[in-house]
Amino acid sequence: MASVTQIYTDGSCHQATGRGGWAYFIPELNQKKNGKGTNTTSQRMELKAVIEALRYCKHNDISDIEVITDSQLIVECFYGRYKAGKNLDLWKKLYKLTKPKKVVFTWVKGHDGNANNEIVDELASYKR
């Protein structure tokens, strides 16, 4: 059985300015990446974090993946329990990147002491 690669993701945005940030962290590989966005939303930054993490996995032949996020929207939409009404451009990219891989999504409560979630929360800060 192949081992599952855990990836923590997060996104953030300041509503008044539209400045945002996204990040992912793969503890097993000590791989971290983050970026910024302008004229954006928290949801777009959350999705961008997952997309960038899955792109990294695609380029590095990582196929058994657990995405751990504090975004209930991402988890619920991915499993079809909610319908993605906005950001369809990003949802299409996300779904395309999950097709050839075994990907599961797990929700973790944000700001609740999960060390890896706190790392991506800090990396995704729009205040950087």
Side-chain angles (χ1 to χ4, degrees), residues 55-103:
R55 282 184 178 149
Y56 175 86
C57 291
K58 179 180 179 178
H59 294 302
N60 290 281
D61 294 324
I62 299 169
S63 58
D64 288 340
I65 302 162
E66 179 184 19
V67 175
I68 302 165
T69 177
D70 61 10
S71 170
Q72 287 183 338
L73 181 70
I74 286 181
V75 174
E76 298 300 324
C77 285
F78 183 79
Y79 288 117
R81 295 186 286 254
Y82 292 164
K83 185 174 180 178
K86 295 181 179 180
N87 305 310
L88 295 179
D89 59 325
L90 295 179
W91 279 107
K92 288 176 184 176
K93 289 177 184 178
L94 186 145
Y95 288 132
K96 185 176 180 180
L97 287 164
T98 60
K99 293 268 189 221
K101 305 195 175 299
K102 180 181 176 194
V103 180

Side-chain angles (χ1 to χ4, degrees), residues 7 9 22-24 26 33-35 45-59 90 93-94 97:
I7 302 172
T9 65
W22 60 267
Y24 70 80
I26 307 172
K33 187 171 182 180
N34 62 354
M45 293 293 93
E46 294 277 4
L47 285 162
K48 180 76 171 170
V50 176
I51 290 165
E52 292 301 323
L54 293 175
R55 282 184 178 149
Y56 175 86
C57 291
K58 179 180 179 178
H59 294 302
L90 295 179
K93 289 177 184 178
L94 186 145
L97 287 164

Side-chain angles (χ1 to χ4, degrees), residues 96-113:
K96 185 176 180 180
L97 287 164
T98 60
K99 293 268 189 221
K101 305 195 175 299
K102 180 181 176 194
V103 180
V104 296
F105 283 77
T106 302
W107 178 76
V108 63
K109 185 175 181 179
H111 310 287
D112 199 39

